[in-house]
Amino acid sequence: MTEVTLFFQEFARSRRETGAIAPSSPALAGTLTRFVIPSPGHARAVLEVGPGTGAVTRRARAAIGPLDTLDLVEANPRFAELLQQRYAGDGQVRLLTGLVQEHELGSYDTIVCGLPFANFDAATVQDIFDRLLGALRPGGTLSFFAYAGLPALRRALVGPEERRRALRTQAVITRTLQRHRFRTETVLGNLPPAHVHHLVPVRPAVTYTD
């Protein structure tokens, strides 16, 4: 079974948990891992949450240095099995299965997150952001993406109760961006196009958008 076939099978089976419409493109993977940068002579720790079939993981693995480590947290058992097979014997990669909320996270220099925040309730989104931002070392970054225009379109197509849930979730995301974002990049070379947000535990004084 190819990665793409497995991805679409899982998307069809459980859209809320899978979230993404298609595997991340090379352009999106490159933007998400922009701050996965090795530091010669210094061991850096990288965390990827929700790697799926590993499109972004491959980019992150290629970017880390020989002293660095890459932790993966994947809740989908079939995706986790694929990742386990691929990185078995790789001493720099560790796979944690289950929800990120179920693990005691270490401290990281860079965190990349592929979770479908728009699919979750507001309390879950707040909890995940708190955990990830709290796991960053000083100067560390958290990068995640959202599909351009999709949340608004989804809210327009659902009933009142689901729309209220979505608005509460979006409010949490917006507050988090206002407090922690230092850069947003738009990736057109993805299906669909996506916004990649880069966050720090405490936002610098200057913000800008590409």
Side-chain angles (χ1 to χ4, degrees):
M1 183 184 300
T2 67
E3 290 180 26
V4 174
T5 301
L6 175 58
F7 182 92
F8 283 114
Q9 283 185 354
E10 293 303 291
F11 175 73
R13 184 185 65 82
S14 183
R15 296 184 182 185
R16 181 174 292 273
E17 285 76 16
T18 302
I21 296 173
S24 297
S25 69
L28 179 56
T31 305
L32 280 167
T33 58
R34 181 176 302 284
F35 296 102
V36 181
I37 305 170
S39 178
H42 173 67
R44 292 172 59 85
V46 179
L47 170 66
E48 183 184 1
V49 182
T53 56
V56 177
T57 310
R58 281 192 294 272
R59 190 65 174 258
R61 179 63 185 90
I64 63 174
L67 300 177
D68 300 341
T69 58
L70 173 60
D71 285 352
L72 310 174
V73 179
E74 177 54 58
N76 183 297
R78 300 185 72 187
F79 290 160
E81 181 180 3
L82 176 66
L83 294 167
Q84 182 63 51
Q85 293 172 355
R86 177 175 297 147
Y87 294 103
D90 189 327
Q92 291 181 259
V93 179
R94 180 177 64 151
L95 175 65
L96 305 174
T97 59
L99 301 174
V100 67
Q101 305 95 299
E102 297 172 346
H103 295 281
E104 290 293 332
L105 300 178
S107 59
Y108 298 93
D109 299 281
T110 310
I111 298 176
V112 177
C113 183
L115 295 180
F117 286 119
N119 291 2
F120 302 154
D121 62 80
T124 298
V125 172
Q126 186 67 69
D127 182 32
I128 294 173
F129 273 130
D130 289 345
R131 289 172 182 271
L132 298 185
L133 289 165
L136 286 173
R137 295 171 178 170
T141 60
L142 164 62
S143 301
F144 75 98
F145 76 95
Y147 291 128
L150 196 59
L153 176 61
R154 178 180 295 169
R155 290 195 297 270
L157 298 176
V158 298
E161 183 176 349
E162 179 64 16
R163 187 177 302 115
R164 286 191 292 269
R165 183 207 63 80
L167 288 171
R168 289 192 294 268
T169 294
Q170 187 57 47
V172 171
I173 297 172
T174 299
R175 288 196 302 270
T176 302
L177 291 175
Q178 290 172 342
R179 183 175 182 185
H180 298 284
R181 176 176 55 182
F182 70 93
R183 182 174 184 174
T184 290
E185 301 178 83
T186 299
V187 180
L188 298 178
N190 192 72
L191 179 65
H195 299 305
V196 176
H197 304 294
H198 304 291
L199 282 59
V200 291
V202 177
R203 188 184 64 180
V206 178
T207 62
Y208 62 94
T209 301
D210 286 354

